[in-house]
């Protein structure tokens, strides 16, 4: 394959805003990007000092030609990039995953316009409002319109000539009060069109203006003692007021803005859009974007903004975003709110995008559990500052009772789940008394000395149940074995769930709701449960053995033999001398029978 002379190509690229296109050896368009400075941006792909991921390196290896288009402003580049991506869908560009055809509300371009919903847009001069991501919301709006404004639903050609010629007769809808009969000239075109204008205002979020006008009409009707009209207007007023109370979320002074937020994962991202008019959310939708080259949130958000604004024909002069996206627009103002009503709107958008993200990821993980495992391990690696996925994790816990019966337990998680067949416990051998630090040191040393001897594989992560003291003891054993640099080891303190690292005096605090903390807590709790279970068995056995030692002629070794054979003191108490002699001699058997007989 011929080598691409990128240095020559770069000389022809100017330091101006625009879009650039990468082509492969087959002259296929493989990537489209935008830039404030075309030369600097394109050069960055070929700069060896630039830290790029593996996918970007693959992209660069396939480039055989570069073309570019200069534009006047960065916003123009922004819009052109979006339109070209949608047209050509290059292999390495972000994929907008949105396979739905969303419905629109149409105000038909005809005399006495009908209002209904459709999924097809026909360029016939009709007005389309939408699209509506929520079909139920769209039907609720249409229901409100039908209940408030009597409009025709027939598809008759209501031209003036046809009506004057008396070609039509009113239908059942007229008899039911759902239509005012424009087909027989019972309703004037001006009266009908006034209703259409009010409906347009409602659909565009200007309900307040409609209510004020309706209130004036109602007052005039009462003044003129037209109580029937006043009653009808009052009913319409109440319906609209009720709809407004459910829709208004911020101060009505916020007249026309777009709100965007993003939630990103390793391979996909989600962007939510809210369209706000006069304090009312009139449009909302969340889309999924599939990453191709480990794009930043800034790049993904700018792409989604152009997509949404084009889809909803938005011309808002202000756009609310969660962070500065680095786009300077002379006609558009980007705002990152910190307080107030606009911040509330951004928070609402972020709640929506997080909910959508959780719902979609749950769906993916049900279909393919491996996705959840990879995501969970990646999050653990990121949160715990590791350089490899923690597919194998081990956790240590110690237990003792007033300094007696000390034991250590180790639990093993593989791919984020308990591997109970690998659980182990240790009877402490070298420690006398309640010395938790020395006990931890012995357990870790014995565990990994055996792992090294048997070559069964070290874990990527070791979790110690305890604070800095227990962690230091564990690290001491790892250093003694020469493996302290090969694994990540942390300690978790119970009181505030602090995470400690070796040599760092300040703990790390994870979000209480984070999946990483939940996994660590699960490990710690499982180690505690497993250790306590073994400890109790040992303690109970020790207590029972001590009781048997009170019998004359029965020592510790004989007591343990009896318990091992009969399983419990109760069965020893119920046994006769002949049965007991299967374990002890005749003299000891008589002593045991006499002891329990005298209780």
């Amino acid at each position: 394959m011929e080598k691409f002379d990128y240095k020559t190509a770069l000389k022809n690229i100017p330091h101006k805003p625009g879009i650039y296109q990468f082509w492969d050896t087959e002259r296929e368009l493989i990537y489209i990007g935008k830039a404030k400075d075309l030369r600097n941006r394109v050069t960055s792909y070929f700069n060896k000092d630039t830290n790029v991921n593996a996918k970007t390196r693959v992209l660069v290896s396939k480039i055989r030609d570069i073309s570019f288009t200069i534009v006047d402003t960065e916003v123009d580049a922004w819009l052109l990039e979006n339109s070209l991506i949608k047209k050509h869908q290059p292999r390495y560009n972000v994929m907008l995953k949105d396979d739905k055809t969303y419905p629109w509300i149409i105000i038909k371009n005809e005399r006495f316009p009908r209002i209904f919903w459709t999924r097809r847009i026909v360029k016939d001069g009709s007005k389309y409002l939408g699209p509506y991501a929520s079909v139920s919301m769209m039907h609720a709006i249409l229901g409100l319109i039908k209940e408030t404004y009597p409009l025709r639903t027939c598809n008759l050609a209501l031209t003036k000539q046809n009506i004057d010629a008396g070609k039509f007769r009113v239908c059942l809808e007229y008899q039911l009060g759902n239509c005012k009969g424009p087909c027989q000239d019972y309703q004037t075109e001006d009266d009908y069109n006034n209703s259409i204008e009010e409906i347009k205002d409602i659909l565009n979020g200007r309900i307040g203006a409609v209510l004020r006008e309706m209130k004036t009409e109602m007052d005039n009707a009462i003044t003129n003692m037209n109580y029937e009209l006043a009653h009808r207007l009052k009913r319409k007023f109440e319906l609209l007021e009720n709809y407004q109370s459910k829709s208004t979320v911020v101060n009505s002074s916020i007249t026309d803005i777009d709100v965007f937020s993003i939630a990103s994962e390793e391979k996909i991202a989600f962007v939510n859009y809210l369209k706000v008019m006069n304090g009312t959310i009139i449009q909302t939708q969340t889309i999924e974007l599939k990453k191709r080259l480990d794009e930043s949130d800034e790049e993904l958000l700018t792409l989604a903004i152009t997509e949404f604004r084009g889809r909803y024909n938005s011309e808002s002069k202000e756009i609310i975003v969660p962070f500065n996206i680095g786009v300077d627009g002379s006609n558009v103002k980007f705002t990152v709110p910190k307080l107030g009503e606009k911040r509330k709107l951004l928070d609402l958008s972020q709640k929506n995008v997080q909910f959508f993200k959780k719902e979609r990821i749950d769906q993916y993980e049900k279909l393919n559990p491996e996705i959840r495992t990879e995501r969970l391990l990646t999050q653990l690696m990121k949160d715990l500052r590791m350089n490899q996925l923690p597919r194998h994790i081990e956790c240590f816990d110690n237990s003792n009772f007033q300094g007696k019966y000390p034991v250590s337990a180790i639990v093993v998680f593989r791919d984020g789940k308990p591997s109970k067949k690998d659980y182990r416990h240790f009877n402490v051998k070298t420690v006398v008394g309640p010395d938790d630090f020395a006990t931890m040191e012995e357990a870790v040393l014995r565990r990994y000395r055996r792992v090294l001897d048997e070559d069964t594989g070290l874990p990527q992560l070791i979790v110690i149940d305890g604070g800095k003291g227990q962690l230091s003891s564990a690290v001491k054993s790892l250093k003694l074995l020469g493996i302290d640099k090969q694994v990540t080891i942390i300690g978790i303190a119970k009181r505030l769930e602090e995470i400690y690292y070796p040599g760092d005096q300040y703990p790390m605090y994870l979000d209480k709701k984070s999946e990483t903390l939940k996994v660590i807590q699960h490990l710690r709790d499982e180690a505690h449960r497993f250790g306590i279970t073994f400890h109790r068995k040992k303690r109970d056995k020790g207590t029972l053995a001590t009781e048997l030692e009170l019998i004359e002629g029965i020592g510790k070794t004989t007591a343990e033999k009896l318990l091992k054979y009969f399983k419990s003191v109760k069965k020893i108490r119920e046994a006769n001398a002949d049965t007991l002699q299967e374990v002890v001699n005749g003299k000891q058997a008589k002593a045991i029978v006499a002891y329990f007989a005298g209780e």
Side-chain angles (χ1 to χ4, degrees):
M1 185 183 289
E2 60 176 310
K3 191 172 181 181
F4 176 54
D5 183 9
Y6 69 89
K7 292 182 179 179
T8 301
L10 290 174
K11 290 178 183 178
N12 300 321
I13 301 175
H15 290 285
K16 291 184 178 295
I19 62 103
Y20 54 91
Q21 298 170 305
F22 294 155
W23 306 80
D24 66 7
T25 188
E26 304 294 331
R27 193 58 191 172
E28 181 182 346
L29 183 60
I30 57 175
Y31 188 75
I32 298 171
K34 67 176 183 312
K36 292 180 184 179
D37 186 310
L38 283 168
R39 170 80 69 85
N40 291 347
R41 182 69 184 99
V42 175
T43 300
S44 69
Y45 286 93
F46 300 94
N47 190 341
K48 293 180 180 179
D49 296 329
T50 304
N51 184 19
V52 295
N53 64 11
K55 289 182 180 178
T56 304
R57 287 195 291 271
V58 172
L59 165 65
V60 172
S61 70
K62 294 180 180 295
I63 299 173
R64 291 297 173 269
D65 192 17
I66 302 172
S67 60
F68 58 88
T69 302
I70 299 171
V71 295
D72 292 331
T73 67
E74 189 186 350
V75 172
D76 292 333
W78 188 31
L79 296 171
L80 180 58
E81 178 201 32
N82 181 260
S83 63
L84 289 175
I85 289 173
K86 288 172 71 175
K87 180 180 178 181
H88 299 288
Q89 297 183 352
R91 179 180 175 185
Y92 289 96
N93 277 103
V94 171
M95 185 176 75
L96 287 166
K97 190 168 182 183
D98 184 21
D99 53 0
K100 294 182 181 178
T101 304
Y102 290 100
W104 299 71
I105 291 178
I106 177 175
I107 302 176
K108 195 69 177 170
N109 181 26
E110 60 191 358
R111 197 162 182 258
F112 300 103
R114 288 169 292 153
I115 296 180
F116 54 94
W117 69 274
T118 180
R119 293 185 187 272
R120 292 179 62 247
I121 295 180
V122 180
K123 295 183 178 180
D124 60 355
S126 298
K127 184 173 182 61
Y128 292 85
L129 295 111
Y132 288 89
S134 169
V135 176
S136 60
M137 177 184 175
M138 180 199 68
H139 284 303
I141 293 170
L142 286 173
L144 171 77
I145 291 170
K146 184 177 181 181
E147 199 169 352
T148 312
Y149 297 94
L151 301 176
R152 74 168 178 129
T153 56
C154 63
N155 58 1
L156 301 175
L158 299 186
T159 63
K160 191 174 188 310
Q161 294 84 351
N162 287 344
I163 294 172
D164 290 344
K167 286 189 175 183
F168 310 115
R169 292 287 179 268
V170 291
C171 63
L172 184 61
E173 290 295 305
Y174 174 80
Q175 308 296 341
L176 294 172
N178 296 330
C179 176
K180 290 185 177 181
C183 58
Q184 280 194 253
D185 214 13
Y186 294 161
Q187 183 182 23
T188 66
E189 189 174 1
D190 286 343
D191 181 58
Y192 193 99
N193 286 339
N194 284 337
S195 294
I196 294 296
E197 290 304 314
E198 287 186 8
I199 290 168
K200 286 180 181 177
D201 285 339
I202 292 168
L203 292 173
N204 286 315
R206 293 189 286 272
I207 299 178
V210 176
L211 288 173
R212 286 191 294 273
E213 189 175 331
M214 200 173 288
K215 183 74 164 59
T216 302
E217 290 179 28
M218 195 163 50
D219 292 340
N220 291 337
I222 293 171
T223 302
N224 297 325
M225 292 186 289
N226 189 346
Y227 299 117
E228 186 177 346
L229 174 60
H231 177 73
R232 288 201 303 271
L233 288 169
K234 182 184 178 186
R235 187 170 180 278
K236 288 169 68 174
F237 184 89
E238 288 173 347
L239 284 168
L240 289 174
E241 195 174 42
N242 182 52
Y243 174 74
Q244 184 190 39
S245 69
K246 292 178 180 178
S247 303
T248 301
V249 292
V250 289
N251 195 302
S252 59
S253 62
I254 298 181
T255 53
D256 184 4
I257 59 172
D258 291 337
V259 186
F260 293 90
S261 62
I262 184 168
S264 188
E265 288 287 315
E266 184 186 11
K267 296 180 180 179
I268 52 177
F270 306 90
V271 176
N272 175 259
Y273 168 64
L274 300 178
K275 174 70 175 174
V276 183
M277 294 284 290
N278 301 307
T280 301
I281 295 176
I282 63 169
Q283 302 288 355
T284 178
Q285 189 181 349
T286 303
I287 58 172
E288 178 183 334
L289 300 98
K290 186 176 181 181
K291 297 181 184 180
R292 292 286 174 78
L293 297 173
D294 195 27
E295 294 84 357
S296 68
D297 284 359
E298 180 182 324
E299 292 175 291
L300 296 170
L301 192 57
T302 53
L303 176 67
I305 289 172
T306 51
E307 169 66 22
F308 273 124
R309 283 171 68 85
R311 183 180 296 183
Y312 287 93
N313 302 314
S314 175
E315 296 180 355
S316 299
K317 300 300 182 185
E318 183 176 7
I319 300 175
I320 292 177
V321 286
F323 48 79
N324 193 330
I325 61 173
V327 176
D328 298 322
S330 55
N331 298 321
V332 181
K333 175 187 176 185
F334 290 92
T335 304
V336 183
K338 302 299 180 186
L339 299 167
E341 299 290 350
K342 291 179 181 179
R343 179 68 210 187
K344 289 180 182 177
L345 274 172
L346 181 60
D347 289 342
L348 181 63
S349 177
Q350 288 174 330
K351 285 179 183 176
N352 276 277
V353 78
Q354 290 293 346
F355 179 82
F356 186 90
K357 175 184 131 181
K358 183 180 183 303
E359 190 177 53
R360 187 57 59 90
I361 288 176
D362 286 347
Q363 290 175 359
Y364 290 155
E365 290 176 355
K366 284 179 182 177
L367 295 172
N368 188 356
E370 291 180 3
I371 292 177
R372 180 185 182 278
T373 299
E374 291 300 314
R375 181 181 62 79
L376 182 62
L377 296 181
T378 301
Q379 191 65 43
L380 275 162
M381 180 177 71
K382 180 180 175 182
D383 289 344
L384 298 177
R385 307 185 301 229
M386 299 176 64
N387 55 16
Q388 56 184 330
L389 289 177
R391 295 194 175 279
H392 177 184
I393 310 174
E394 297 188 353
C395 181
F396 288 82
D397 182 47
N398 297 332
S399 298
N400 68 73
F401 177 68
Q402 295 179 351
K404 296 181 179 180
Y405 317 113
V407 297
S408 287
I410 174 176
V411 297
V412 179
F413 276 30
R414 296 189 185 276
D415 289 335
K417 296 178 182 177
S419 178
K420 295 191 176 182
K421 66 183 178 63
D422 295 319
Y423 287 13
R424 296 291 182 271
H425 51 242
F426 302 97
N427 287 307
V428 179
K429 297 179 178 178
T430 62
V431 181
V432 178
D435 190 338
D436 201 33
F437 299 159
T439 301
M440 185 63 72
E441 187 177 334
E442 179 189 324
V444 172
L445 183 66
R446 287 171 59 190
R447 168 64 175 175
Y448 296 114
R449 179 181 286 156
R450 182 165 186 172
V451 166
L452 292 173
D453 289 343
E454 297 178 358
D455 195 24
T456 53
L458 291 168
Q460 289 83 42
L461 175 64
I462 299 171
V463 178
I464 302 299
D465 182 14
K468 289 188 284 187
Q470 287 89 342
L471 179 62
S472 297
S473 299
V475 171
K476 185 177 178 182
S477 292
L478 295 181
K479 286 182 177 179
L480 193 63
L481 295 169
I483 59 173
D484 55 303
K485 304 296 184 185
Q486 298 178 39
V487 296
T488 298
I489 182 168
I490 62 172
I492 177 170
K494 291 185 177 68
R495 193 170 65 87
L496 296 174
E497 306 290 47
E498 304 105 328
I499 304 296
Y500 285 95
Y501 284 85
D504 190 345
Q505 67 179 104
Y506 299 107
M508 178 176 74
Y509 294 94
L510 294 171
D511 188 317
K512 299 298 182 186
K513 296 180 181 179
S514 75
E515 288 187 290
T516 297
L517 183 59
K518 288 178 181 176
V519 171
I520 295 172
Q521 288 171 331
H522 189 186
L523 276 155
R524 189 263 315 279
D525 295 344
E526 187 71 355
H528 187 65
R529 179 198 63 77
F530 183 65
I532 284 293
T533 301
F534 175 58
H535 172 258
R536 283 174 179 163
K537 287 180 180 177
K538 184 177 179 183
R539 188 183 67 195
D540 291 346
K541 185 177 178 181
T543 304
L544 294 172
T546 301
E547 181 183 2
L548 292 173
E549 288 173 39
L550 297 174
I551 303 171
E552 186 178 351
I554 304 297
K556 182 178 179 181
T557 302
T558 306
E560 289 177 353
K561 283 182 181 179
L562 284 164
L563 282 170
K564 186 176 181 180
Y565 184 86
F566 288 99
K567 307 301 183 186
S568 70
V569 172
K570 181 183 177 185
K571 289 185 177 179
I572 296 172
R573 180 186 290 110
E574 293 171 350
N576 56 37
D578 293 336
T579 306
L580 289 169
Q581 285 185 61
E582 293 183 18
V583 181
V584 296
N585 59 40
K587 185 179 179 181
Q588 289 173 321
K590 290 179 181 178
I592 292 170
V593 171
Y595 174 81
F596 286 117
E599 272 190 331

